[in-house]
Amino acid sequence: MAVWIQAQQLQGDALHQMQSLYGQHFPIEVRHYLSQWIEGQLWDAIDLENPQEEFKAKRMLEGLIQELQNKAEHQVGEDGFLLKIKLGHYASQARMTAQRLVREATNSSSPVGSMMDSMSHKYQQINQAFEELRLLTQDTENDLRKLQHNQEYFIIQYQESLRIQAQLSSLASLPPADRQLREPALLSKRATVEAWLTREANTLQKYRLDLAEKHQKTLQLLRKQQTVILEDELLQWKRRQQLAGNGAPPEGGLDILQSWCEKLAETTWLNRQQIRRAEHLRQQLPIPGPIEELLNDLNSTVTDIISALVTSTFIIEKQPPQVLKTQTKFVATVRLLVGGKLNVHMNPPQVKATIISEQQAKALLKNESTRNDSSGEILNNNCVMEYHQTTGTLSAHFRNMSLKRIKRSDRRGAESVTEEKFTILFESQFSVAGNELVFQVKTLSLPVVVIVHGSQDNNATATVLWDNAFAEPGRVPFLVPDKVLWPQLCEALNMKYKAEVQSKRGLSDENLMFLATKAFSSNPESDCRNMTMTWSQFNRESLPNRNFTFWQWFDGVMELTKKHLKPHWNDGAILGFVNKQQAQDMLLSKPNGTFLLRFSDSEIGGITIAWVAENPNKRLVWNLMPYTTKDFSIRSLADRISDLNHLLFLYPDRPKDDVFAKYYTPPLSKAVDGYVKPQIKQVVPEFATANHDPASGNPTYMDHGASPAPLSHPHSYAIYPPIDSMLDGEGEFDLDDTMDVARHVEELLRRPMDSQWSGPQS
């Protein structure tokens, strides 16, 4: 604590330099209230270059957050109430920031230490620039005061010269003798004063020009700092926000950005006031020269800086849903990062939300008149911005918006309604300094695809995914490339998959190679880095011999995994992205009873079990009819695997109970009130019992989606229609008829007959 006690004794520039080290990234209040704990830690003992030190660093960070929470909880009384809220807020922000940094480090190839060093260096540069701006502004303030003092003295002397001139004029009424007696002294005095005034006028003019040049330097640095914050940091935050829509880590809080924007606003406003005071001094004492034009330019520049700052910091903190269903409630939050500092909340502005088309958004950015047109009607689309004293934020929370209707434009070519993009326009008017400056502000949401039915959701999501992944900064709304490199698409698909399934286990290189094979309908080269995929291939053209697109198939896999298979995917129990031939090659080298789980090629959102078993003539790999969400709503995957006693080992050699037993449904309780509860069991009849064919004396094996097809026999089970009835005109299996058979089998499994029941019949 001794260091902090000494720090409190600092004065002048040393104090300001110390203060500049702190900000929203590490508030000075935290340093003050935790000074004893902070100075008691062995910070230098952690080697940032050593990955083994990560646990120690995490533990120290957790300790800091816990100390902060404890300090907050122990605040009492009226003064302690606000401090309790503030310290608690800092603790939450520290935890969220730490979690975000860990996620970013996990998803990045660069080490944590390097990332932290880079971020620290960036913050240091920004803070140093603010310190330079503070010193420049303080310097011009001192110069301005000096100028004002000198000008006031000049005016006094000028008044003195006028008084002398009046005295000289009054001598005309005196007798010549008296005039000759007094006139020489007055003339000498006037000459002295006028000479001084001439010199001082030149000096004042130089002071004014020097001050204007210093203001020019300050405004140049302000523009540079504003570019770094608004066009680099804020745009990066917006890009992270957009990628978060595809499943990237959350974009992070706005507190640090707001603190920077507020410093910009404060510094810019101070310089504006100085320039206006300099203009007032010029008007008070006009001196011929270029200063008038210089001050006009400075005033115009500083107003432009303020205007850009206000309009750019009117942002959407919480985006509306990008797949927006009509007649459905949705929310959004807009925020003005400089609202508190510029006292905008003294006259609370109202924000209006309107939905507009892509063409209207283009016209808006070109400053073309859109005649206040909208492309639909949003209910509850007006909201007053509220100032939150504890956090210093000015924001408007739209809590109950609903899109009542939508007006679609004429579509181009093969474009479907789920490819049409809209955006929510938020607009308001802010007044600053008592209506001295009035700003019209507008901001556009991320692209929105409007649907009227849940069946359109997956295609709309494809449009949003493509836009979020491949949009470029500063684009014309809402242009995206029509084709992208396959590795870029892989990155987007992997990001989306991990987010939807909520898993750290993403798509492996083998999974992505399988997807490339499916996407390009061929075996791609081992190096896919230079291959490209078009939007049409992604979600407009159906896959060969299928009635669905690549995206629709992939989205079906995600939905099935998210709803029913998440723990098994996380356990590594599902290979998933394996085709039928690959499964056969993998299983034939394994003992009978070995099985694997792969996603169905022929059905959206389906997963099948492939296993190797002995046929009367040879070993075969069998594929069970794909399961879908409907099937798992009846009985879980783990229970279905438990039911099938011929499944012994999960590929390559793990006993199935070691993998799935923890997910089995516990046995039903014993009889209650004389009744025994029945239980549905899954049975594949040909593997449950061996049924002998009277004609051949050999066991008969039935096809339950087997691959390759089993031998034909003169006798078949009545639950299957003749095989010819499931073939289409080209001799291929008809998917709908095949699925009808599967559903019929499932229905039979539900009936209380034979071995389908685990309990005795009552």
Side-chain angles (χ1 to χ4, degrees):
M1 192 170 179
V3 176
W4 188 243
I5 292 175
Q6 292 176 2
Q8 295 177 57
Q9 311 303 317
L10 295 175
Q11 295 181 358
D13 289 343
L15 176 61
H16 289 301
Q17 289 176 10
M18 185 273 291
Q19 290 174 334
S20 69
L21 297 174
Y22 299 94
Q24 287 295 326
H25 63 287
F26 196 89
I28 197 169
E29 293 92 337
V30 175
R31 179 64 178 93
H32 178 74
Y33 287 102
L34 297 188
S35 57
Q36 185 173 356
W37 184 89
I38 289 173
E39 293 179 27
Q41 306 306 306
L42 301 176
W43 301 99
D44 294 336
I46 298 179
D47 181 6
L48 295 178
E49 303 298 327
N50 184 0
Q52 304 300 323
E53 300 278 83
E54 182 179 346
F55 175 75
K56 189 188 296 183
K58 285 182 178 178
R59 187 172 58 186
M60 192 171 288
L61 178 60
E62 285 295 326
L64 173 70
I65 295 172
Q66 187 60 50
E67 284 291 322
L68 200 52
Q69 290 174 332
N70 293 341
K71 181 67 71 172
E73 291 170 1
H74 286 86
Q75 300 302 314
V76 295
E78 184 176 346
D79 294 336
F81 176 72
L82 289 178
L83 185 59
K84 179 177 183 178
I85 294 176
K86 201 167 189 179
L87 293 179
H89 173 70
Y90 288 151
S92 299
Q93 283 297 117
R95 189 176 297 279
M96 288 189 294
T97 301
Q99 291 171 349
R100 178 174 65 82
L101 291 175
V102 169
R103 283 194 298 268
E104 290 176 355
T106 303
N107 295 331
S108 171
S109 58
S110 54
V112 178
S114 175
M115 180 186 67
M116 294 295 291
D117 287 345
S118 175
M119 182 173 294
S120 176
H121 180 65
K122 176 185 66 178
Y123 285 2
Q124 186 178 15
Q125 287 181 320
I126 291 175
N127 286 332
Q128 285 175 348
F130 274 126
E131 176 61 14
E132 185 178 354
L133 282 167
R134 186 193 68 79
L135 294 175
L136 286 172
T137 304
Q138 184 62 52
D139 186 38
T140 50
E141 175 65 26
N142 293 336
D143 286 355
L144 185 60
R145 290 177 180 175
K146 181 179 179 181
L147 173 63
Q148 182 175 354
H149 173 77
N150 289 350
Q151 181 167 313
E152 288 172 352
Y153 186 70
F154 180 92
I155 292 173
I156 292 172
Q157 293 301 108
Y158 181 73
Q159 293 297 325
E160 177 64 15
S161 72
L162 293 179
R163 188 182 65 80
I164 294 172
Q165 184 61 43
Q167 288 177 342
L168 283 170
S169 299
S170 67
L171 292 179
S173 62
L174 295 177
D178 291 343
R179 185 169 66 245
Q180 289 177 359
L181 181 65
R182 300 177 59 182
E183 187 174 45
L186 288 174
L187 288 173
S188 175
K189 190 174 183 180
R190 183 181 71 176
T192 301
V193 172
E194 287 182 349
W196 183 90
L197 288 174
T198 300
R199 291 195 307 272
E200 193 64 18
N202 291 330
T203 302
L204 287 176
Q205 186 75 309
K206 185 178 185 303
Y207 283 170
R208 290 177 177 181
L209 292 172
D210 290 347
L211 181 61
E213 289 178 0
K214 287 185 177 182
H215 275 131
Q216 284 179 329
K217 180 181 178 181
T218 302
L219 295 186
Q220 286 175 356
L221 184 57
L222 263 174
R223 277 192 184 278
K224 182 180 178 181
Q225 181 81 327
Q226 186 157 295
T227 298
V228 169
I229 293 171
L230 299 184
E231 297 184 17
D232 293 345
E233 298 300 321
L234 185 56
L235 279 186
Q236 287 178 25
W237 182 89
K238 290 182 177 180
R239 181 59 181 152
R240 292 197 301 270
Q241 186 185 52
Q242 187 171 24
L243 289 175
N246 279 3
E251 61 273 21
L254 285 165
D255 288 351
I256 293 177
L257 272 170
Q258 175 161 317
S259 71
W260 289 340
C261 292
E262 287 179 339
K263 286 182 179 179
L264 281 174
E266 183 177 19
T267 306
T268 306
W269 195 257
L270 286 174
N271 278 273
R272 180 178 183 272
Q273 289 177 321
Q274 289 180 8
I275 293 168
R276 289 171 64 82
R277 284 161 56 197
E279 171 63 19
H280 176 71
L281 291 176
R282 188 203 65 80
Q283 292 174 353
Q284 189 182 43
L285 181 63
I287 300 176
I291 190 62
E292 181 177 1
E293 184 178 351
L294 280 174
L295 288 174
N296 287 337
D297 290 344
L298 287 172
N299 194 55
S300 176
T301 299
V302 77
T303 301
D304 288 344
I305 293 174
I306 293 174
S307 177
L309 182 61
V310 172
T311 55
S312 298
T313 56
F314 181 61
I315 63 172
I316 303 173
E317 182 176 12
K318 179 177 177 56
Q319 291 280 344
Q322 288 188 263
V323 176
L324 186 57
K325 188 178 179 183
T326 56
Q327 310 294 335
T328 303
K329 173 185 169 182
F330 68 96
V331 300
T333 301
V334 294
R335 180 167 163 181
L336 181 64
L337 298 180
V338 295
K341 188 60 67 174
L342 295 179
N343 292 325
V344 173
H345 58 283
M346 301 304 290
N347 183 19
Q350 187 174 79
V351 184
K352 180 182 179 182
T354 311
I355 188 165
I356 62 175
S357 67
E358 183 175 336
Q359 291 300 320
Q360 290 168 331
K362 290 178 182 177
L364 186 70
L365 293 188
K366 292 179 181 178
N367 292 321
E368 296 175 0
S369 173
T370 57
R371 302 186 304 278
N372 295 320
D373 286 346
S374 68
S375 292
E377 181 182 354
I378 299 179
L379 302 179
N380 303 316
N381 66 327
N382 287 284
C383 186
V384 175
M385 299 196 83
E386 299 176 355
Y387 182 69
H388 305 275
Q389 187 73 39
T390 54
T391 58
T393 59
L394 182 69
S395 56
H397 300 276
F398 292 84
R399 296 180 175 88
N400 293 290
M401 286 194 290
S402 176
L403 182 59
K404 184 178 180 181
R405 61 177 181 83
I406 190 66
K407 180 171 64 177
R408 299 191 183 275
S409 58
D410 295 333
R411 291 185 294 280
R412 300 165 295 212
E415 186 180 79
S416 68
V417 294
T418 55
E419 295 179 44
E420 185 177 6
K421 300 173 190 175
F422 297 88
T423 181
I424 308 295
L425 166 66
F426 295 93
E427 50 189 338
S428 185
Q429 176 176 298
F430 302 141
S431 60
V432 178
N435 294 325
E436 184 180 325
L437 295 175
V438 179
F439 300 102
Q440 302 285 340
V441 294
K442 300 177 181 180
T443 188
L444 297 174
S445 75
L446 294 173
V448 167
V449 178
V450 177
I451 63 174
V452 297
H453 192 275
S455 62
Q456 299 172 308
D457 183 82
N458 62 346
N459 289 325
T461 301
T463 301
V464 169
L465 176 87
W466 190 277
D467 192 280
N468 285 346
F470 309 122
E472 296 179 356
R475 63 171 172 173
V476 176
F478 288 107
L479 295 181
V480 284
D482 183 63
K483 64 179 180 180
V484 297
L485 288 171
W486 173 248
Q488 292 177 292
L489 184 59
C490 288
E491 183 180 355
L493 293 176
N494 188 36
M495 183 184 296
K496 185 70 172 177
Y497 189 86
K498 288 198 294 184
E500 290 294 314
V501 180
Q502 297 178 349
S503 171
K504 293 182 180 179
R505 182 193 169 197
L507 302 174
S508 66
D509 291 342
E510 292 76 14
N511 298 154
L512 295 173
M513 183 60 70
F514 170 87
L515 291 175
T517 303
K518 180 172 286 290
F520 300 112
S521 305
S522 63
N523 289 323
E525 302 173 0
S526 58
D527 187 358
C528 302
R529 286 177 294 181
N530 296 323
M531 299 182 71
T532 59
M533 189 170 193
T534 66
W535 165 253
S536 292
Q537 289 174 298
F538 183 66
N539 195 45
R540 191 176 281 172
E541 301 168 358
S542 294
L543 294 171
N545 303 317
R546 301 288 183 239
N547 60 354
F548 47 79
T549 66
F550 171 82
W551 163 256
Q552 289 167 350
W553 180 88
F554 184 79
D555 184 60
V557 166
M558 284 196 302
E559 284 297 305
L560 181 72
T561 307
K562 176 174 66 175
K563 292 179 180 178
H564 302 286
L565 308 177
K566 188 189 306 181
H568 308 305
W569 173 265
N570 289 336
D571 290 347
I574 299 175
L575 288 179
F577 299 96
V578 178
N579 64 36
K580 189 177 291 188
Q581 185 60 50
Q582 288 174 315
Q584 178 169 309
D585 294 342
M586 294 165 68
L587 290 171
L588 284 176
S589 64
K590 298 298 177 182
N592 289 341
T594 303
F595 67 98
L596 60 79
L597 298 161
R598 68 177 189 86
F599 297 121
S600 170
D601 282 320
S602 60
E603 184 167 357
I604 294 178
I607 190 170
T608 185
I609 301 174
W611 75 96
V612 62
E614 200 70 41
N615 183 274
N617 298 322
K618 62 178 181 178
R619 299 175 77 226
L620 291 178
V621 173
W622 300 68
N623 289 272
L624 209 57
M625 192 67 67
Y627 300 123
T628 65
T629 289
K630 182 177 179 181
D631 301 309
F632 292 135
S633 65
I634 299 170
R635 190 157 176 79
S636 72
L637 174 65
D639 286 340
R640 289 174 182 271
I641 290 173
S642 175
D643 293 340
L644 302 178
N645 293 326
H646 59 277
L647 302 182
L648 303 177
F649 304 101
L650 178 67
Y651 183 89
D653 55 8
R654 300 165 67 189
K656 73 174 183 181
D657 286 347
D658 290 356
V659 181
F660 296 100
K662 59 185 175 182
Y663 302 111
Y664 295 160
T665 301
L668 296 173
S669 58
K670 297 181 180 180
V672 178
D673 296 332
Y675 290 95
V676 177
K677 291 184 179 180
Q679 177 177 323
I680 295 176
K681 290 277 190 179
Q682 175 180 247
V683 174
V684 179
E686 63 272 31
F687 285 92
T689 57
N691 297 281
H692 291 276
D693 182 348
S696 64
N698 295 324
T700 301
Y701 288 86
M702 294 170 44
D703 179 17
H704 195 75
S707 172
L711 300 173
S712 60
H713 294 276
H715 302 287
S716 61
Y717 288 81
I719 62 172
Y720 290 92
I723 194 71
D724 292 342
S725 69
M726 294 190 292
L727 301 178
D728 60 20
E730 298 179 354
E732 299 288 341
F733 276 99
D734 185 277
L735 182 60
D736 292 335
D737 288 343
T738 307
M739 292 309 301
D740 288 342
V741 173
R743 303 295 176 237
H744 185 46
V745 171
E746 188 67 58
E747 181 63 30
L748 288 176
L749 291 176
R750 299 177 195 155
R751 297 179 183 175
M753 31 185 313
D754 302 333
S755 61
Q756 274 88 6
W757 297 94
S758 61
Q761 303 299 307
S762 57

